[in-house]
Amino acid sequence: VRNAENQLGLPPQFQGFDLTSLHPSPITVAAPLVTTTNSAFPALAQQTVAIVGLGYVGLPTALAFADESKDLSVIGIDISTDRIQHIQQGHVDLIPADIARLDRVLASSAMELTTDSTAIERADVVIICVPTPVDKHLTPDLGALKSACAATVRHARHGQTIVITSTSYIGTTEDLLINPLRERNLRAGSDVFVAFSPERIDPGNTTVTQDMVPRVVGGATPDCTKRAAAVIGRIAPVVHVVSSPAAAEFSKLFENTYRAVNIALVNEMADVARRFDLDIMEVVGAAATKPYGFSAFYPGPGIGGHCIPCDPHYLLWHLRGERGSAPLVETAMARTAARPGQVVSRTVEVLAQMGRSIAGAHIAIIGVSYKPDVQDVRESPALEIIDELLAAGAHVQFHDTHIPILQLGSGERLESQPLDALQDVDLAIAHTIHADTNLDRLASFSAVLDTTYRLGSLPNRHTL
Ligand SMILES: NC(=O)c1ccc[n+]([C@@H]2O[C@H](COP(=O)([O-])OP(=O)(O)OC[C@H]3O[C@@H](n4cnc5c(N)ncnc54)[C@H](O)[C@@H]3O)[C@@H](O)[C@H]2O)c1
């Protein structure tokens, strides 16, 4: 139990909030945080938990519930039959501990898998984990979330606890669950229990795993919060309660906007460092020795994945509708959007220093996923870098042990090449270095543009 006394004032509706009723053993409940251990919650015993959306978030979440305790039944629901089949066959991108969990869960039939959303009716708890991307105009694409919430409302029944974990705009829970449920005469706080609890999982991270990360929960009423905290407390070490779903929604947008802005800042500092012929990694490492007031972020070729490039746009889009703005965030996102273009400009510059033109140059991209050790290329800067290099007349090949085929914006498909098959390369661009990347082979290229800033010992290394 983490005691977080004296940090903030307890919101009025949580005065007297008592989680001990959900626990078999006494716990310390410290204002203002509802801090729980993930020890058994009798309130959930023998209950059925449905997870809607079984992707990078939903599948580990379903496995955590299914593996955590034999007293729960778990139903995994996904609209994609392909996805359900891949899960059944174990062909999914998970950290080794979750692969082991999946094996156990599949062997024991502890989790039902279905594409049928009517299964929601059988659940006591519904957790919604569907994607919330942005479209090509950087406008939130709420299609999946609207449809998952509509199905949940359609099949909701008395006594259910319903939690959205997908990142979304402030007011989502009210717009997509609380109000539509009321139209079905299901009132949040008395008939059903509705909350928002943003997911914080870091796919591919084996050091800080989902079960180690505290979760924020904000319910429509104190009773909603209490029930949702009991659910989320089964799979999280600590539950931090906020006063409303909107506060929980905003907390997630703030977390990821903070990260996006700081990455834009450190990228700019990396450009400054190169101008002064300094090593940005040495500078960040030095600044990070300060024990307060500084968090280390690291530069790179841009940002990718489903969260950091998308989530700040949920805030900016919403603000535009309110005739508001957040200029600092807008600038950071614009700088970040320009980063892959900067990689291409620097490629042109490095080739020119070698007496080569970009047109006709042979370029190898090393690692194309958006971060190390995942099979996810969504929003990966590599996609834009490759498209721009091809448009400039370069010959581009890539190597990535995690990505066999890469679908480009143009529709063209590139196949990953073994590192040894990449011959006569004018310039290798180190984009993502996986744990199994052969650094010795990388060192044998005649020139490497290191967009990761982590390959200081490579000969013929050029920084971004
Ligand atoms: N991936 C991350 O690193 C991460 C981390 C924290 C939070 N999040 C957030 O979690 C949410 C889910 O992200 P993800 O990465 O798991 O997405 P994902 O694309 O990996 O998976 C989503 C799954 O939902 C399914 N789906 C889509 N619409 C559906 C519907 N109407 N009903 C049922 N299933 C449906 C898809 O088929 C897919 O299998 C997003 O809001 C994301 O921002 C993601």
Side-chain angles (χ1 to χ4, degrees), residues 52-58 77-80 83 129-132 144 147-148 166-167 199 201 203 252 306-307 378:
V52 182
L54 298 173
Y56 277 97
V57 166
I77 304 172
D78 200 291
I79 43 163
S80 161
R83 180 66 182 167
C129 315
V130 296
T132 47
S147 131
S166 300
T167 309
E199 178 57 57
I201 194 169
K252 177 67 185 181
H306 194 68
C307 295
R378 289 178 296 184

Side-chain angles (χ1 to χ4, degrees), residues 1 44 94 128 165 183 200 258 263 279 286 293 318 341 389 403:
V1 175
L44 269 192
L94 291 170
I128 300 169
T165 67
E183 282 168 26
R200 290 166 152 172
Y258 168 87
I263 292 171
D279 176 358
H318 196 183
L389 290 173
I403 313 288

Side-chain angles (χ1 to χ4, degrees), residues 1-293:
V1 175
R2 201 177 66 179
N3 190 323
E5 266 171 324
N6 304 326
Q7 287 189 11
L8 293 163
L10 185 66
Q13 60 271 55
F14 292 105
Q15 301 288 347
F17 189 97
D18 179 16
L19 252 197
T20 51
S21 60
L22 298 168
H23 277 268
S25 53
I27 61 162
T28 308
V29 180
L33 306 184
V34 174
T35 54
T36 75
T37 62
N38 63 357
S39 57
F41 280 93
L44 269 192
Q46 311 305 328
Q47 297 210 339
T48 299
V49 179
I51 311 293
V52 182
L54 298 173
Y56 277 97
V57 166
L59 180 57
T61 303
L63 293 174
F65 279 108
D67 198 34
E68 186 262 342
S69 171
K70 304 222 175 334
D71 66 346
L72 297 178
S73 304
V74 176
I75 309 173
I77 304 172
D78 200 291
I79 43 163
S80 161
T81 40
D82 281 357
R83 180 66 182 167
I84 296 285
Q85 269 173 17
H86 289 152
I87 296 170
Q88 281 162 339
Q89 293 158 356
H91 296 158
V92 282
D93 188 15
L94 291 170
I95 58 170
D98 279 340
I99 291 280
R101 260 182 171 164
L102 179 61
D103 290 346
R104 279 197 297 279
V105 165
L106 291 176
S108 69
S109 313
M111 179 167 71
E112 177 186 335
L113 292 168
T114 180
T115 54
D116 179 7
S117 61
T118 63
I120 289 170
E121 285 165 16
R122 289 190 276 125
D124 303 292
V125 175
V126 184
I127 298 182
I128 300 169
C129 315
V130 296
T132 47
V134 290
D135 67 15
K136 68 175 182 171
H137 305 289
L138 303 178
T139 303
D141 174 357
L142 288 160
L145 188 57
K146 283 185 175 170
S147 131
C149 287
T152 302
V153 169
R154 214 166 32 248
H155 300 296
R157 60 165 175 77
H158 270 84
Q160 267 180 342
T161 300
I162 306 172
V163 185
I164 300 182
T165 67
S166 300
T167 309
S168 190
Y169 70 92
I170 300 164
T172 296
T173 312
E174 185 163 356
D175 290 349
L176 301 189
L177 286 181
I178 297 170
N179 292 340
L181 282 163
R182 193 184 303 119
E183 282 168 26
R184 278 202 54 207
N185 286 326
L186 292 169
R187 287 187 181 274
S190 49
D191 305 313
V192 283
F193 302 91
V194 182
F196 188 87
S197 178
E199 178 57 57
R200 290 166 152 172
I201 194 169
D202 185 13
N205 190 334
T206 52
T207 314
V208 185
T209 49
Q210 189 187 30
D211 58 319
M212 294 162 72
V213 181
R215 289 285 291 272
V216 173
V217 172
T221 67
D223 265 354
C224 294
T225 305
K226 191 189 280 188
R227 297 213 183 200
V231 171
I232 298 300
R234 292 291 286 246
I235 59 165
V238 172
V239 174
H240 177 100
V241 162
V242 292
S243 63
S244 63
E249 288 154 356
F250 190 19
S251 77
K252 177 67 185 181
L253 294 180
F254 178 42
E255 271 171 38
N256 282 359
T257 299
Y258 168 87
R259 192 160 166 72
V261 169
N262 276 287
I263 292 171
L265 176 66
V266 77
N267 282 341
E268 192 164 277
M269 291 302 112
D271 296 346
V272 170
R274 190 160 72 79
R275 188 163 287 268
F276 291 113
D277 204 16
L278 287 166
D279 176 358
I280 184 64
M281 295 301 264
E282 183 187 7
V283 173
V284 172
T289 60
K290 186 177 178 183
Y292 58 92

